[in-house]
Amino acid sequence: MPNLYRQEKLGELIAEELSDLLRTRMKDPRIGFVSITRVEVSGDLAHAKVYVSVLGSDEERHNTMAALKRATGFLRHELAGRLVLRHVPELVFKLDLSLEKGAQVMELIKQIEQEHAQQQPGSQAGSPAQPDAEEEQGQTSDSMEAE
């Protein structure tokens, strides 16, 4: 039975070390602005799917993924020197578009909020209702007369 805690911790450690390697050791100009979003390690710890987010155009993404695929052996070798493991997992890089899709969803939400605000110009959404000044003064004078 696989140890889920160990898989998760190993995934986090691989993500941290790969991020450092990509930032400091990779000299390939095809690798653009890459961030590792998550790493999924298999139950037998033999394989690791590395999900990366690449900032740039489709061509830059394609070039970056090709460069990462070619650098897999180098990165695995470097990980072997940094991690205390009997066998370093095989690395498979996958493009993660979740950040881009999240940004698109946020843009759609902003558009809907703007349309909603244009349809109801008199209302102020999100502001708490405040009593009129006259009502407050009337309540304070009534309480003073009672004393």
Side-chain angles (χ1 to χ4, degrees):
M1 179 166 225
N3 185 347
L4 297 178
Y5 177 76
R6 185 169 184 201
Q7 285 176 260
E8 188 176 313
K9 291 307 255 182
L10 182 58
E12 291 173 5
L13 186 60
I14 290 173
E16 183 179 321
E17 293 297 332
L18 279 177
S19 294
D20 186 51
L21 285 170
L22 290 174
R23 191 171 16 92
T24 60
R25 298 290 311 263
M26 293 299 294
K27 304 295 183 201
D28 194 334
R30 295 178 296 171
I31 296 179
F33 187 74
V34 177
S35 61
I36 296 175
T37 55
R38 71 181 189 275
V39 176
E40 291 179 358
V41 180
S42 66
D44 60 357
L45 307 180
H47 303 280
K49 291 180 187 175
V50 181
Y51 292 90
V52 295
S53 176
V54 181
L55 204 63
S57 67
D58 288 337
E59 182 181 344
E60 291 171 333
R61 286 186 191 130
H62 177 68
N63 290 339
T64 298
M65 293 306 292
L68 288 173
K69 187 175 182 179
R70 287 189 49 89
T72 301
F74 169 76
L75 292 170
R76 189 169 179 230
H77 174 75
E78 290 293 316
L79 278 177
R82 292 177 176 221
L83 301 178
V84 182
L85 292 173
R86 184 172 293 174
H87 299 286
V88 176
E90 291 285 333
L91 302 175
V92 178
F93 289 95
K94 303 274 186 179
L95 186 60
D96 187 5
L97 299 174
S98 63
L99 295 176
E100 182 179 315
K101 289 181 181 181
Q104 289 175 349
V105 169
M106 290 302 294
E107 187 62 34
L108 289 174
I109 290 173
K110 286 180 184 178
Q111 288 177 359
I112 291 171
E113 287 176 347
Q114 289 174 351
E115 291 173 4
H116 185 68
Q118 289 174 355
Q119 289 176 356
Q120 298 177 353
S123 67
Q124 295 177 354
S127 64
Q130 296 180 355
D132 294 326
E134 293 176 6
E135 290 178 12
E136 286 182 18
Q137 288 177 354
Q139 289 174 355
T140 55
S141 61
D142 290 340
S143 61
M144 292 173 108
E145 290 176 6
E147 292 177 5

